[in-house]
Amino acid sequence: MDTDPGFNHANSPSQHPDTELFSTEEDSSLYFTYSGGCNELEVNDLHYEILINGKPNTPQLVKKSIAHVRQDDRLLPHLTVRETLVFVAKLRLPTHFTQAQREQRVDDVIAELRLRQCAHTRVGNDYVRGVSGGERRRVSIAVQLLWNPGILILDEPTSGLDSFTAHNLVITLSRLARGNRLVLLSVHQPRSDIFQLFDLVVLLSSGSAVYCGAARDMVAYFTALGYPCPRYCNPSDFYVDLISIDRRSLEQEAECLERATVLAGKFMEKVRDTEDHMWKPAAADTAPAQTESPQQLSTVKTEEVITISKQKNRLPGRLHQFTILIRRHMYNDYRDLVTILVHGFEALLMSLLVGCLYYGAGEERLSIQDTVALLYMIGALTPFAVVLDVIAKCHTERAMLFHELEDGMYSVSSYFFAKVLGELPEHCVFTLVYGLPIYWLAGLNEAPERFLLNFLLVWLMVYCSRAMALFVAAALPTLQTSAFMGNALFTVFYLTGGFVISLENMWLVASWFSHASFMRWGFEGMLQVQFRGNKYPITISNITISVDGIHVVEAMKMNQYPLYSCYLVLLAVCLCFMVLYYVSLKFIKQKSSQDW
């Protein structure tokens, strides 16, 4: 259906009968000023300027004044309803708020949106059991209501709610509009008791305005045009059906389009000479204001609003944001026990399978060929799995990250450090679970210092793959493209690591990639750690001689740089990918796959 009853504004026009729709600077309202060509249907070189409370529109002013409740819910699934709101209160409320005031604001919003019964239930999502769809919708609205914005825009807030909850929600929004606030919402065919709460209504058909004016005058307007609303019929249902386009047949579509075009043309004729492009009854200018209570409420609240605005509304700094975000991140991640156990079991299983394979050699030390193959396998198995896991996780968080950054809830740098450091303990534990069993089962060098040096190399290699996955997930728009690029980069680094083909036999471009391959530097470091100082018997004809293992490394051209350089290069690769990840977060919109 090509119909949208548009944005319904909940500030009563009867309060200011002699002003425009968005006029005064004292209330938190939205004021549009247009300048350009003459007032004709054809407009050339149109220029317009949007003012918010008399100030030029800037991204910073929008983030401070306007809250947008989107149609889809983007929340962390493993936090409870109350925890979600508490973290938002810490991020969005000014620093002069005490902890008790923040808690009180959270309690008030929970009570206002009837969320008390599920306040300590996890939010959940399509895959995690939590609150119901309607309750999750109210949590999304509560997140925006929490910081008490001056302008509130809601995209179909009643979708997914039962009629009773939807009615109470619109009552809440109507009450918010009486408190010196502008409320805009789009709805599809609201029930009659919800429609009666609207102050202003815009009806749209195929992008053209068919009516814009007071909700109570809509029936009279269409009745004058020859379309009276039948008795006992919901006006919103009747007039939305009137302007809808029925595409079941070409004849019906043409008829509906013609009717909608005629209605849109008549409306433009009636408001052509008005400044606010709103239709008003002929006696509207002389009629006294009928709504007293909103005006009185606005007057009563004026002193309180002014008092609050004079305070220093400084939001938390980046360091404070970081501490809040890292706590929120760890709360959400470490409650996902299923995912943690699956990843831990995956790392342990790979370690045991490979370790048991080489454990079959018995007490005899592994041969040079087997040891080289084992070391390269250690550096390739878990990093590959980590790439896919990290990319998938980042894309599940991407839409929420985009919305919160757009709303100005926190800075990119705060999120970046919270993300990187918050996942560090998980990375350390999984790498230990993977690296410890395979090392001892395969009978590698038992010296403690050799194990620590080898484990540090494995840790850096796995972290390089994690950093690479973070960069790819942030730089590319969809999960499919990110997974493809992540696999492609890992394959390139795998093939140029010095095991599949020796470094001296690589052609020019491949050798360039090998210098950036964390697989190559981790493999070279592990070879030096394992073989240096170990004696290996080599039989030539009937002669057996003992050779230092470092000569094997030299024969593979993997001893060209000292051991410490392997660690430094791996650290540099990690740092480069982290910088690329930060730049991607900073300059690339982190939209979800559906938004591109």
Side-chain angles (χ1 to χ4, degrees):
M1 180 173 65
D2 294 331
T3 306
D4 189 345
F7 290 106
N8 302 283
H9 164 234
N11 265 352
S12 176
S14 60
Q15 300 176 24
H16 309 287
D18 298 327
T19 61
E20 297 177 354
L21 170 59
F22 310 121
S23 56
T24 65
E25 298 182 357
E26 298 178 356
D27 58 353
S28 299
S29 59
L30 186 62
Y31 177 66
F32 293 95
T33 301
Y34 298 95
S35 62
C38 57
N39 190 13
E40 297 176 354
L41 292 180
E42 180 180 355
V43 180
N44 298 318
D45 299 326
L46 174 65
H47 300 280
Y48 66 92
E49 182 180 7
I50 298 177
L51 303 177
I52 301 177
N53 299 330
K55 299 179 181 179
N57 177 32
T58 62
Q60 293 76 18
L61 184 59
V62 169
K63 292 177 182 179
K64 291 181 180 180
S65 306
I66 301 177
H68 182 199
V69 181
R70 297 162 180 86
Q71 187 173 358
D72 52 341
D73 303 314
R74 303 294 183 178
L75 303 165
L76 292 176
H78 298 285
L79 297 181
T80 66
V81 170
R82 182 174 180 80
E83 288 172 343
T84 300
L85 298 179
V86 166
F87 281 119
V88 173
K90 292 179 179 180
L91 289 168
R92 294 304 300 265
L93 294 182
T95 53
H96 66 74
F97 273 68
T98 64
Q99 183 63 26
Q101 289 175 323
R102 289 191 177 92
E103 295 284 343
Q104 185 60 45
R105 177 67 65 84
V106 170
D107 291 336
D108 292 343
V109 172
I110 287 176
E112 189 70 43
L113 294 175
R114 300 173 61 247
L115 292 170
R116 285 176 178 169
Q117 72 281 2
C118 61
H120 301 288
T121 305
R122 293 190 183 187
V123 174
N125 56 20
D126 294 337
Y127 308 101
V128 179
R129 185 175 181 181
V131 299
S132 66
E135 290 170 336
R136 192 176 303 122
R137 184 69 174 145
R138 279 180 278 159
V139 174
S140 297
I141 298 174
V143 166
Q144 299 298 339
L145 290 182
L146 198 61
W147 60 281
N148 197 25
I151 302 173
L152 185 61
I153 301 175
L154 304 99
D155 185 7
E156 299 187 27
T158 59
S159 298
L161 304 182
D162 60 84
S163 59
F164 178 74
T165 304
H167 185 217
N168 285 341
L169 174 60
V170 179
I171 289 177
T172 301
L173 297 176
S174 178
R175 184 162 57 250
L176 291 173
R178 300 299 183 264
N180 200 26
R181 183 181 290 103
L182 183 67
V183 179
L184 303 170
L185 61 149
S186 63
V187 293
H188 287 279
Q189 292 183 296
R191 48 186 266 187
S192 58
D193 52 359
I194 291 179
F195 180 78
Q196 292 174 0
L197 297 171
F198 295 151
D199 297 316
L200 302 175
V201 173
V202 178
L203 287 181
L204 298 176
S205 178
S206 301
S208 300
V210 177
Y211 175 79
C212 178
R216 62 175 179 271
D217 298 330
M218 188 177 71
V219 175
Y221 171 81
F222 282 102
T223 299
L225 296 180
Y227 297 99
C229 180
R231 194 174 185 180
Y232 307 120
C233 182
N234 182 3
S236 62
D237 288 339
F238 178 76
Y239 291 118
V240 167
D241 291 341
L242 177 68
I243 63 176
S244 298
I245 308 301
D246 189 348
R247 303 187 185 276
R248 289 177 294 180
S249 66
L250 294 177
E251 293 78 7
Q252 290 177 325
E253 180 179 359
E255 180 182 353
C256 294
L257 285 172
E258 181 181 2
R259 181 171 61 241
T261 302
V262 171
L263 290 175
K266 290 183 178 180
F267 173 75
M268 289 301 299
E269 291 178 2
K270 292 180 179 294
V271 300
R272 185 187 304 274
D273 298 327
T274 62
E275 295 182 356
D276 54 8
H277 291 274
M278 290 179 54
W279 184 83
K280 302 178 182 67
D285 296 334
T286 59
Q290 299 177 2
T291 307
E292 298 294 338
S293 55
Q295 177 69 29
Q296 295 172 359
L297 181 59
S298 178
T299 304
V300 172
K301 294 291 184 180
T302 300
E303 182 178 357
E304 178 183 354
V305 172
I306 293 176
T307 302
I308 294 176
S309 64
K310 288 182 179 180
Q311 298 185 22
K312 191 175 182 180
N313 293 327
R314 185 170 60 88
L315 296 178
R318 295 186 179 183
L319 181 59
H320 192 192
Q321 291 175 354
F322 162 74
T323 59
I324 298 170
L325 288 175
I326 196 171
R327 286 184 58 197
R328 187 181 75 162
H329 184 86
M330 298 181 75
Y331 271 42
N332 183 71
D333 280 6
Y334 297 138
R335 286 181 182 174
D336 189 5
L337 294 179
V338 174
T339 301
I340 292 176
L341 292 176
V342 168
H343 289 171
F345 181 74
E346 178 185 30
L348 180 61
L349 181 62
M350 287 191 296
S351 180
L352 292 177
L353 287 176
V354 177
C356 290
L357 175 65
Y358 285 88
Y359 182 76
E363 297 182 358
E364 184 179 353
R365 189 169 56 180
L366 294 176
S367 66
I368 294 176
Q369 179 181 354
D370 291 343
T371 303
V372 171
L374 171 63
L375 293 177
Y376 200 72
M377 192 181 303
I378 289 175
L381 286 180
T382 285
F384 179 72
V386 166
V387 169
L388 299 180
D389 291 339
V390 171
I391 289 176
K393 181 181 179 182
C394 287
H395 275 277
T396 59
E397 301 172 349
R398 185 164 178 151
M400 186 199 69
L401 172 63
F402 171 71
H403 290 164
E404 292 183 343
L405 289 176
E406 287 290 302
D407 292 341
M409 190 175 294
Y410 45 78
S411 65
V412 171
S413 57
S414 300
Y415 173 82
F416 169 79
F417 287 107
K419 173 75 172 177
V420 172
L421 297 180
E423 293 181 349
L424 201 56
E426 176 185 350
H427 168 74
C428 294
V429 172
F430 288 160
T431 306
L432 185 63
V433 169
Y434 171 73
L436 185 60
I438 195 173
Y439 191 89
W440 296 111
L441 286 174
L444 297 175
N445 198 314
E446 297 179 355
E449 65 276 8
R450 299 294 181 97
F451 167 74
L452 291 177
L453 290 173
N454 188 87
F455 175 76
L456 182 57
L457 286 167
V458 175
W459 189 94
L460 288 172
M461 294 174 68
V462 176
Y463 202 78
C464 282
S465 65
R466 178 180 290 272
M468 181 186 72
L470 289 172
F471 158 61
V472 170
L476 298 176
T478 64
L479 175 61
Q480 292 77 13
T481 56
S482 296
F484 169 78
M485 183 56 65
N487 285 334
L489 285 176
F490 186 86
T491 302
V492 170
F493 293 152
Y494 177 86
L495 295 176
T496 58
F499 177 75
V500 177
I501 182 173
S502 62
L503 297 178
E504 61 182 356
N505 291 331
M506 288 184 187
W507 63 297
L508 183 60
V509 176
S511 65
W512 293 345
F513 280 109
S514 70
H515 285 86
S517 171
F518 56 86
M519 297 287 296
R520 175 256 176 97
W521 295 103
F523 180 49
E524 182 172 333
M526 287 191 291
L527 286 175
Q528 295 187 33
V529 168
Q530 291 300 320
F531 283 100
R532 185 181 299 276
N534 280 353
K535 301 296 182 179
Y536 286 87
I538 296 180
T539 302
I540 303 176
S541 297
N542 294 328
I543 302 175
T544 300
I545 59 175
S546 182
V547 178
D548 193 323
I550 196 62
H551 295 300
V552 178
V553 182
E554 292 174 352
M556 299 175 63
K557 305 299 182 183
M558 302 294 283
N559 193 32
Q560 303 177 29
Y561 302 95
L563 179 60
Y564 70 85
S565 64
C566 298
Y567 294 94
L568 293 179
V569 173
L570 287 173
L571 286 172
V573 172
C574 283
L575 182 61
C576 288
F577 277 125
M578 283 299 177
V579 170
L580 291 174
Y581 174 49
Y582 177 82
V583 171
S584 299
L585 290 177
K586 187 74 173 178
F587 298 104
I588 299 178
K589 298 288 187 181
Q590 299 300 302
K591 298 180 181 179
S592 64
S593 301
Q594 294 82 3
D595 295 331
W596 285 95

